[in-house]
Amino acid sequence: MEVGLLGIAGHIAAAQCRFLQYLAEFDARKLWAARDGVTSCAHRVSWKIGMNIRTADEHLRTARTLRKLPLITQAFAADELTYSTVRAISRVIGDDTSTLERISQQLADATSHLPNTRAADPEAAERVLLAIARYGTAAHLERLPRTPR
């Protein structure tokens, strides 16, 4: 029974990753614009998919963030991460890659034993976030920016 549940959860994670990739492309190309009085991508998704507007905003923020995080995206597509952990990463990162640089700097300053972690290195910060996401929880990720301070 547990194996079946985990298998289905893996399929759901992979499908959610594909959905978010399509959503990011839909948004980037502005395919939602100038149609039926729709004012935003989240508005269109909410209307056409039947998703609450706040949930659509969360999905859209997560989709935009994934475009900047190839390692996280690859792990999500391979069922190594859940939507909850990816959403938590998107909350930490936001729309600005300078957040990755700041996290990397904080991690480098606070924990010198982390391998391959250099100051102002967004790729290293992504690797650290990926490791935390693989072995921790969404709550661990959301607390991360506060931890090194």
Side-chain angles (χ1 to χ4, degrees):
M1 180 71 103
E2 182 178 347
V3 173
L5 287 172
L6 294 176
I8 290 170
H11 292 302
I12 291 169
Q16 283 178 315
C17 183
R18 283 192 310 274
F19 171 77
L20 293 173
Q21 288 171 316
Y22 283 126
L23 179 59
E25 185 68 21
F26 184 75
D27 179 50
R29 294 166 116 196
K30 300 205 181 302
L31 297 174
W32 54 266
R35 297 173 136 181
D36 308 319
V38 172
T39 58
S40 70
C41 185
H43 180 202
R44 180 123 184 123
V45 168
S46 174
W47 174 40
K48 287 296 195 175
I49 296 177
M51 188 180 287
N52 175 294
I53 190 74
R54 184 172 175 181
T55 303
D57 277 331
E58 287 269 325
H59 278 75
L60 188 57
R61 186 198 61 244
T62 305
R64 288 173 179 157
T65 302
L66 278 176
R67 290 180 73 105
K68 295 178 243 167
L69 301 171
L71 299 175
I72 301 288
T73 302
Q74 183 180 16
F76 187 26
D79 180 32
E80 296 174 27
L81 303 176
T82 65
Y83 172 71
S84 294
T85 56
V86 173
R87 183 184 63 212
I89 290 169
S90 77
R91 288 179 179 156
V92 169
I93 300 303
D95 291 336
D96 190 355
T97 57
S98 67
T99 304
L100 278 175
E101 293 167 6
R102 182 180 50 77
I103 290 170
S104 182
Q105 179 66 53
Q106 289 173 341
L107 290 167
D109 291 347
T111 54
S112 60
H113 68 279
L114 290 171
N116 302 317
T117 304
R118 297 179 307 277
D121 182 354
E123 186 179 329
E126 184 182 359
R127 286 193 304 270
V128 171
L129 286 172
L130 179 57
I132 294 168
R134 281 183 172 141
Y135 303 108
T137 66
H140 291 127
L141 289 160
E142 290 178 344
R143 284 193 306 266
L144 181 65
R146 295 185 297 263
T147 303
R149 289 184 189 157

